[in-house]
Amino acid sequence: MDMATQRNEQPASSGAEDRRRQRRRRIRNTILAILAVPALIWLVLYITKGRFLKGPFETIVGRLTNREVKVGGDFQLYFAPWRIKFYAERFTIANPAWATQRYLFRADRLDTRIAPLSLIFGKRRLYWLDLVNGAVDLEWNREHTRNSWTFSEKKGGKRLEFPRIDVATVRGTTVRYLDPRMRVLANLKVDDIRSQDARIGHAVGVNGTGMIRETPFRVTAQLLSPDATANRGRNELVARAWAANNVVDVSGTLPSIAEIENVPLATRARGRNLAELLGIIGVVMPDTRRYAIRSQMVKDGEVYRFTRLGGTVGRSDVAGVLTVTNGNRVHLDSTIRTRNLDIIDAASIIGYNPDIVEAQGVVAAAAATGSGPRKLIPDSDLPVEKLRAFDADLKWSIGAVKSRRVPISDVEMTLDLERGRLALSPLSFAMARGNVATDIVFDTRQRPSAVSYDVRLAPTPMGRLLAGWGVEEAGTSGTIKGRVELAGRGDSFADSLATARGRIAFVMPQGTLWTRNVQLAELDIGTFVQKMFAGKLKKPVEINCGLIAFTVRGGIAAADPILIDTTKNVIVGRGGFSFRTEAIDLAVRADAKKFSLFSGQSPVGLGGYFSAPAMDVISPQLVGRAGVGLGLSLVASPLAGVLAFVDVGDAKSAACGPVLGGATAAAQRTTKGEARDDVGRGTTAKDEKGRDKPGKEQRKKFLGIF
């Protein structure tokens, strides 16, 4: 019984052992198979260099990047021995269909060793890289919604990322950048790069040329921290660009090599003319003298903000902020502060070149704009098409204007440009303790431009206003106020004023006026001579009221009227001036209210041009009186000769109501309510008396026009 039992147990034990051995063999074979397959794959790849994977590689990578990927020459992809070797000749990655260039990236040769696990975990790593004649094309589409380096047709797609590279040799690399909205094209060449242990060591240089709008430029840049850049760290960048006689420096730290959004960059610009700098982006402004400006620039999408702006333009300081929005239309929004504005720098506001003003004078500056000889009004046309291409809002505050003659301060200017309508409104400033408010509009949407001028002078002390022209502030209590309202057509100041219509009026309320030759101001030659020989003037001129007014028709301004009533005289003027030719033809005379001995009583002529006015004191009438006086002296006696220069003093005092109201000549009255016959009829005729005389009733032509 025991023997039988033992025989039955031995087969059972032997079967279990067999099963264990079979299981071990299966496990062994499975492990060997698992090891053999990769080994076989490795062996096949190593022997063939993976060249047969060229087609699958192009297909798979093309699907991952949504681009066509091609290898035009030799291709290798295998483990050597444990690192992935990738080698490709004439390797290309296509651009999206909308791009202007066929390839985003192409290289004559790309040879690298890749850490296998980095393709699955963590940051991608290349043990070494040899790149020959690589070319990168970076483009934005016209709508600025997509770029070529984002590997997706959907917004927010994955962008190209740079791996960690331990050892690299990069030669002959070029980069092309195109932004149709900004109208920027740059062709850059990158210096050859050699790195070791993931460190490049020295700065990497970039240089190239390009075009921004229609302006060519060249640029140099240096990556001061290339090691951090190679490891996708922070990037210390400095760059300098030259364009249109300007030099622009940019420096800052970028989060990554291709990221400048919302990154503060220190910016400096200098050049001979700030208008040339802004002209690069299609913005029009008056010419300036040499400038040097610094700011901090931050790009936020289509918006470029320049804050902490400061520097000098000519001999004037500037500070403030500037925002440039590069949307469908360029828009500038700026707030500028100036402590001291040099008057020569201010000349550019009305169209003069300030460099010419400083070197040769205003007449030469006007001639440079196209004005004729001896002219002052600039004749340079506004760039109408360019003004229609962008919009602008500017607020400019100026503490003081450095001027030798007229003290100007507290300037506040608001400029609004919208689709070709340019408005300086309001433009206000303090002048000689008075205030001037101005509204000027150039509407280029109408052809030719519709231009309007409205200048208002608040009551201003004449002593301070005219101090540069011989008026003594001490002893002068008189004030002056006025308004200029003109409207014309033309694309320049000269053209718009040459066609202008409107009115110019300056009113002088009661006050005193003291000048060095005060009676010459009253234009009473006899009284002036007596005072001159009598010694120093003891009493200032006492003005009751005065009006200097002109009616403008077709660019011709006619005295309407010139009437100043003082305690001693009534001063009247005739004639006018022309905005067309800038010629002046005025005759001013003073009628005494009291008996005056040795009074010439002859009009003093004011002629010449705006640029060179001339005074003619010795008029034909005065010469005639001298002849009569000489004749009487010879025929009768010397005392009789004096009679030719006697003024009986019959001038009629002016009613100050119409004068102070700025009324026309037709509305002027004497103190007795009678219509005045000595102030003309609002034309340019210069008949000296204005009384009814056959053949002289305001018919004299002015410069052949009236």
Side-chain angles (χ1 to χ4, degrees):
M1 189 70 180
D2 291 337
M3 294 291 294
T5 302
Q6 290 178 358
R7 286 195 295 270
N8 291 334
E9 289 178 353
Q10 286 177 355
S13 176
S14 177
E17 184 64 27
D18 290 341
R19 287 192 295 272
R20 283 194 294 271
R21 284 197 295 269
Q22 291 175 0
R23 191 163 47 249
R24 286 196 294 269
R25 284 195 298 271
R26 285 195 295 270
I27 293 174
R28 181 196 62 192
N29 293 339
T30 300
I31 293 173
L32 290 175
I34 292 173
L35 295 175
V37 170
L40 180 62
I41 293 173
W42 178 90
L43 182 61
V44 171
L45 290 175
Y46 190 80
I47 294 173
T48 64
K49 306 301 183 185
R51 290 185 173 92
F52 65 91
L53 294 176
K54 178 179 177 180
F57 171 83
E58 292 175 340
T59 302
I60 294 172
V61 177
R63 288 176 180 174
L64 291 175
T65 60
N66 296 301
R67 306 290 172 83
E68 181 185 50
V69 177
K70 289 292 183 182
V71 178
D74 190 17
F75 174 86
Q76 299 178 27
L77 181 61
Y78 65 97
F79 288 91
W82 310 116
R83 299 173 180 178
I84 299 175
K85 176 176 179 177
F86 175 69
Y87 178 88
E89 294 179 349
R90 301 196 300 278
F91 177 67
T92 61
I93 301 176
N95 258 327
W98 50 261
T100 61
Q101 298 294 307
R102 183 175 180 181
Y103 299 115
L104 166 68
F105 175 79
R106 56 187 172 83
D108 289 350
R109 185 176 75 233
L110 176 60
D111 190 0
T112 185
R113 298 294 188 274
I114 306 171
L117 293 180
S118 71
L119 299 177
I120 304 173
F121 307 105
K123 182 167 61 176
R124 292 176 178 82
R125 180 180 180 183
L126 305 183
Y127 290 113
W128 67 274
L129 169 69
D130 183 18
L131 179 65
V132 179
N133 295 334
V136 181
D137 181 70
L138 308 176
E139 298 188 29
W140 284 95
N141 65 357
R142 292 191 174 277
E143 294 76 22
H144 220 264
T145 57
R146 297 175 180 173
N147 58 57
S148 62
W149 60 92
T150 299
F151 292 133
S152 174
E153 293 302 311
K154 297 180 180 179
K155 187 175 182 180
K158 192 173 183 180
R159 296 184 178 184
L160 175 66
E161 295 182 353
F162 291 91
R164 171 188 170 88
I165 304 173
D166 293 344
V167 180
T169 302
V170 180
R171 293 165 289 171
T173 304
T174 60
V175 178
R176 177 180 180 269
Y177 178 81
L178 176 65
D179 188 336
R181 173 169 289 184
M182 286 291 292
R183 294 164 63 184
V184 174
L185 172 64
N187 294 293
L188 308 175
K189 182 179 180 180
V190 182
D191 290 350
D192 292 348
I193 300 173
R194 297 180 185 276
S195 71
Q196 187 73 31
D197 297 328
R199 298 185 65 84
I200 298 173
H202 59 83
V204 175
V206 177
N207 62 84
T209 60
M211 187 78 70
I212 178 167
R213 295 180 181 262
E214 289 79 29
T215 304
F217 70 87
R218 63 185 179 93
V219 62
T220 63
Q222 282 190 318
L223 200 60
L224 301 181
S225 56
D227 299 326
T229 300
N231 290 282
R232 293 192 291 179
R234 299 176 68 83
N235 307 273
E236 298 291 337
L237 177 70
V238 296
R240 172 171 289 182
W242 295 263
N245 303 303
N246 301 278
V247 180
V248 179
D249 294 307
V250 178
S251 61
T253 301
L254 309 182
S256 67
I257 193 170
E259 185 175 353
I260 63 171
E261 292 291 320
N262 299 307
V263 177
L265 299 173
T267 306
R268 291 178 178 270
R270 63 186 185 277
R272 69 179 187 182
N273 189 344
L274 188 57
E276 292 177 333
L277 178 66
L278 292 180
I280 294 174
I281 61 173
V283 172
V284 179
M285 70 169 291
D287 290 329
T288 72
R289 290 192 283 180
R290 297 197 67 85
Y291 74 93
I293 295 175
R294 66 187 181 279
S295 69
Q296 178 177 278
M297 181 187 75
V298 176
K299 179 182 181 297
D300 183 7
E302 297 177 343
V303 179
Y304 294 78
R305 294 185 178 89
F306 297 85
T307 58
R308 305 178 187 175
L309 188 150
T312 59
V313 179
R315 294 196 183 98
S316 306
D317 62 276
V318 293
V321 296
L322 169 65
T323 301
V324 180
T325 303
N326 190 47
N328 294 328
R329 293 173 57 84
V330 174
H331 184 274
L332 269 68
D333 194 335
S334 182
T335 301
I336 302 296
R337 300 180 304 278
T338 296
R339 293 190 301 272
N340 292 287
L341 176 67
D342 191 283
I343 191 67
I344 295 178
D345 295 324
S348 64
I349 297 175
I350 59 174
Y352 295 133
N353 184 313
D355 287 325
I356 299 177
V357 172
E358 182 177 37
Q360 304 177 46
V362 176
V363 176
T369 69
S371 297
R374 298 176 299 186
K375 288 192 173 183
L376 284 181
I377 304 174
D379 197 23
S380 54
D381 287 346
L382 290 172
V384 174
E385 294 304 321
K386 291 183 178 180
L387 285 175
R388 293 175 176 176
F390 74 100
D391 301 322
D393 291 284
L394 167 67
K395 292 184 178 180
W396 189 10
S397 300
I398 303 170
V401 178
K402 292 184 285 186
S403 171
R404 288 176 296 178
R405 286 185 176 269
V406 181
I408 299 175
S409 61
D410 301 326
V411 181
E412 296 290 339
M413 184 177 77
T414 300
L415 181 148
D416 176 51
L417 174 63
E418 183 177 2
R419 299 188 180 276
R421 183 184 182 274
L422 174 64
L424 289 173
S425 178
L427 167 58
S428 62
F429 53 90
M431 183 172 66
R433 294 201 299 267
N435 294 317
V436 179
T438 303
D439 298 292
I440 301 175
V441 176
F442 270 84
D443 190 350
T444 66
R445 296 173 298 185
Q446 303 183 49
R447 307 301 311 133
S449 299
V451 187
S452 63
Y453 304 88
D454 188 359
V455 183
R456 302 171 298 281
L457 173 65
T460 302
M462 287 192 292
R464 187 168 175 81
L465 178 65
L466 303 178
W469 286 272
V471 174
E472 299 291 344
E473 186 171 0
T476 299
S477 65
T479 61
I480 187 170
K481 63 178 181 179
R483 186 167 189 174
V484 178
E485 287 187 283
L486 299 174
R489 302 296 291 267
D491 292 332
S492 70
F493 283 104
D495 289 344
S496 62
L497 290 173
T499 60
R501 63 191 182 281
R503 186 158 172 78
I504 302 170
F506 292 92
V507 173
M508 292 178 284
Q510 186 177 22
T512 59
L513 178 68
W514 196 326
T515 69
R516 297 186 186 95
N517 295 327
V518 68
Q519 293 297 81
L520 181 60
E522 291 192 344
L523 303 177
D524 186 331
I525 303 302
T527 307
F528 170 71
V529 171
Q530 292 183 61
K531 293 294 183 181
M532 183 177 64
F533 284 105
K536 186 177 180 180
L537 187 66
K538 302 298 183 181
K539 185 178 180 182
V541 175
E542 297 180 6
I543 299 173
N544 296 323
C545 56
L547 172 62
I548 302 175
F550 298 87
T551 295
V552 182
R553 308 177 188 89
I556 304 299
D560 191 21
I562 297 175
L563 175 61
I564 303 173
D565 187 278
T566 74
T567 55
K568 296 180 180 180
N569 299 300
V570 174
I571 303 169
V572 295
R574 299 288 187 79
F577 60 87
S578 171
F579 284 118
R580 300 181 191 176
T581 63
E582 300 188 20
I584 305 170
D585 191 8
L586 288 167
V588 183
R589 58 165 297 164
D591 284 333
K593 294 182 178 180
K594 63 179 181 179
F595 179 86
S596 176
L597 191 61
F598 299 112
S599 175
Q601 287 300 312
S602 176
V604 173
L606 183 61
Y609 296 86
F610 292 174
S611 60
M615 182 177 290
D616 182 12
V617 179
I618 308 301
S619 64
Q621 292 92 332
L622 185 58
V623 173
R625 287 194 179 197
V628 172
L630 179 60
L632 289 174
S633 298
L634 294 174
V635 174
S637 68
L639 182 60
V642 175
L643 297 177
F645 294 92
V646 172
D647 184 355
V648 296
D650 61 347
K652 299 177 181 179
S653 298
C656 284
V659 172
L660 298 177
T664 61
Q668 297 302 321
R669 297 291 184 269
T670 67
T671 52
K672 296 181 179 180
E674 300 172 352
R676 300 197 70 93
D677 64 353
D678 55 353
V679 292
R681 301 177 183 175
T683 70
T684 55
K686 295 193 301 180
D687 174 42
E688 66 174 37
K689 292 188 178 299
R691 298 183 176 89
D692 294 335
K693 291 185 177 181
K696 291 187 178 181
E697 297 86 355
Q698 301 289 310
R699 293 178 182 174
K700 183 176 180 180
K701 290 187 177 180
F702 175 65
L703 303 175
I705 297 173
F706 288 120

